Amino acid sequence: MSNHTHLVLHVDKTKACAMSSDEVLKRWHMLHKGTVLTRRYMDKKQRNSLSEPELLSVIASIKVYRQRLYDISWFMRLLNEYIARMANKEDACTGRFWEGRFKSQALLDEGALLACMAYVDLNPIRAGKADTPEHSPHTSVKRRVRAAKNNTQPKKLMPFVNNSTHVRKGLPFDLKDYLLLIDETGRQLRADKPGAIPLDCEPILTRVGLAQAKWSLMVTNIETQFSTCISLAHAERKLVI
């Protein structure tokens, strides 16, 4: 959006903890300079010349950087800083760009995950910035539709695996079902496009245990009705049908 962003993130702490020291520093140095010692450590010609106290300092730095690789606050800090610098440069101005800190909500079950993904992907439609999901700017659903035309999935997004045993990590839904769900939910959220969920979408709704009315209200009230976490159980208690 023009004045805010929405992200659905998967924090892979296990992957970060399994990385080698070199991989941690390599990733961190892509974003920051690190320290003089960490840069010397990554230079194979200088690594052997480091003293024991210097190596201990590097190890301590690696521990801190490793934790930051799976820290949402650090991710948002870097993302927001990048956007702020770019926006200020475009506007030829300086100063604070964002109004305040970001809001983070934990997604506790598949229903919450689907609802939040739909909320984010349909944001441009609700704001009147686009008429259809496949033409919504800066959204994952637009990327997925474009990739699906070539029978692929975007490499930079979590893939849909539909509980496949051949893929270790991914969204436990079918991509086709999700696109149908997004399209029909988008029609319901717009007064000028009434519609009903087709039979093709029932497998997803049945699998996550969401009735139609609960689904619509849950998607519509993602930000206003939930504070720090979202789940189907929370929705059943909070949303009055």
Side-chain angles (χ1 to χ4, degrees):
M1 305 301 290
S2 60
N3 60 355
H4 68 280
T5 61
H6 289 284
L7 300 168
V8 182
L9 302 174
H10 168 66
V11 180
D12 198 338
K13 180 179 178 180
T14 301
K15 182 177 180 179
C17 292
M19 287 181 184
S20 66
S21 297
D22 284 21
E23 181 65 19
V24 170
L25 289 179
K26 178 181 177 181
R27 287 173 178 257
W28 189 254
H29 287 171
M30 292 173 65
L31 303 171
H32 297 278
K33 292 182 179 180
T35 67
V36 174
L37 293 178
T38 60
R39 292 196 298 274
R40 286 178 57 192
Y41 180 85
M42 290 300 289
D43 186 335
K44 294 183 179 180
K45 295 181 180 180
Q46 298 188 52
R47 180 178 297 186
N48 293 332
S49 66
L50 292 174
S51 65
E52 184 174 348
E54 289 174 332
L55 286 173
L56 290 176
S57 178
V58 171
I59 292 173
S61 296
I62 292 173
K63 181 179 179 181
V64 173
Y65 298 158
R66 188 187 301 277
Q67 293 173 342
R68 290 176 181 176
L69 288 179
Y70 58 85
D71 189 319
I72 293 178
S73 294
W74 266 93
F75 174 83
M76 293 304 301
R77 173 180 175 176
L78 296 174
L79 176 64
N80 287 342
E81 181 181 348
Y82 172 78
I83 294 174
R85 289 180 181 275
M86 181 171 60
N88 286 343
K89 183 178 181 180
E90 291 177 354
D91 297 336
C93 65
T94 59
R96 187 174 182 180
F97 180 77
W98 302 100
E99 288 186 359
R101 284 182 56 80
F102 69 93
K103 178 181 179 181
S104 177
Q105 298 168 295
L107 306 178
L108 304 182
D109 54 34
E110 292 181 0
L113 175 61
L114 271 177
C116 200
M117 288 174 59
Y119 177 87
V120 173
D121 277 333
L122 291 172
N123 228 6
I125 292 178
R126 288 195 299 272
K129 302 293 184 180
D131 293 324
T132 60
E134 62 269 24
H135 294 107
S136 299
H138 313 300
T139 59
S140 62
V141 68
K142 181 179 180 179
R143 289 190 179 187
R144 295 188 190 281
V145 169
R146 185 170 55 194
K149 292 180 179 179
N150 297 317
N151 198 31
T152 61
Q153 296 200 55
K155 294 181 179 180
K156 294 184 178 181
L157 298 176
M158 183 73 74
F160 284 85
V161 299
N162 194 23
N163 292 318
S164 172
T165 57
H166 302 292
V167 182
R168 294 182 60 186
K169 293 182 180 179
L171 300 166
F173 315 113
D174 185 82
L175 176 59
K176 179 181 178 181
D177 287 341
Y178 178 72
L179 295 179
L180 289 171
L181 183 63
I182 285 293
D183 186 64
E184 292 302 322
T185 305
R187 294 173 189 271
Q188 295 162 21
L189 291 177
R190 294 189 57 170
D192 60 331
K193 290 187 177 181
I197 291 182
L199 294 177
D200 291 338
C201 289
E202 288 184 357
I204 283 184
L205 299 180
T206 300
R207 185 162 66 240
V208 300
L210 287 170
Q212 173 52 43
K214 290 180 182 178
W215 169 258
S216 296
L217 284 174
M218 192 172 180
V219 172
T220 305
N221 295 283
I222 279 287
E223 287 194 296
T224 59
Q225 295 297 319
F226 302 94
S227 54
T228 59
C229 60
I230 306 172
S231 69
L232 178 57
H234 284 75
E236 290 174 340
R237 291 196 297 267
K238 282 181 172 289
L239 302 179
V240 179
I241 306 304

